[in-house]
Amino acid sequence: METKSEKLREACELAAQTFRKINHGDFQDIVSKLEFCIGSYNFDKNPAGLIEFGHQALTMLKEVKKKNPRKVPQKLLSNLENSLF
């Protein structure tokens, strides 16, 4: 069974993929931070970075969804919220 941290890692991976698909320069920073935290989590299983940048990604993705609803799947937002809260 997956732990809450594993689900958060998966949600952060999907968030990074979504930011890459949107392909806007403003998201390069959050993508690199998410990728770093995912790698760090895979190494030491400490979800602190995933939690911090997962919250930032969630906020940013909600803003993108307001402007372009089709670019951000609702399932991604739900997965992030469920694994963060």
Side-chain angles (χ1 to χ4, degrees):
M1 191 172 135
E2 278 187 320
T3 65
K4 193 168 185 172
S5 296
E6 289 291 320
K7 289 180 182 175
L8 177 57
R9 181 184 57 80
E10 288 178 14
C12 286
E13 285 177 357
L14 289 172
Q17 287 174 11
T18 301
F19 283 127
R20 276 198 237 63
K21 282 181 190 171
I22 294 169
N23 196 21
H24 193 284
D26 292 347
F27 301 129
Q28 197 57 42
D29 188 48
I30 189 71
V31 169
S32 61
K33 287 176 180 174
L34 285 170
E35 289 172 345
F36 176 82
C37 292
I38 291 164
S40 176
Y41 174 79
N42 289 340
F43 178 73
D44 63 13
K45 300 299 183 210
N46 182 343
L50 291 177
I51 294 167
E52 178 182 349
F53 293 109
H55 280 286
Q56 284 184 24
L58 179 60
T59 302
M60 293 170 81
L61 287 167
K62 283 181 176 181
E63 286 301 311
V64 171
K65 188 157 181 77
K66 281 182 195 173
K67 296 174 188 164
N68 298 302
R70 301 179 80 203
K71 291 194 177 196
V72 181
Q74 183 60 43
K75 183 172 171 59
L76 170 58
L77 295 178
S78 298
N79 288 349
L80 264 174
E81 286 177 338
N82 290 338
S83 56
L84 286 167
F85 301 107

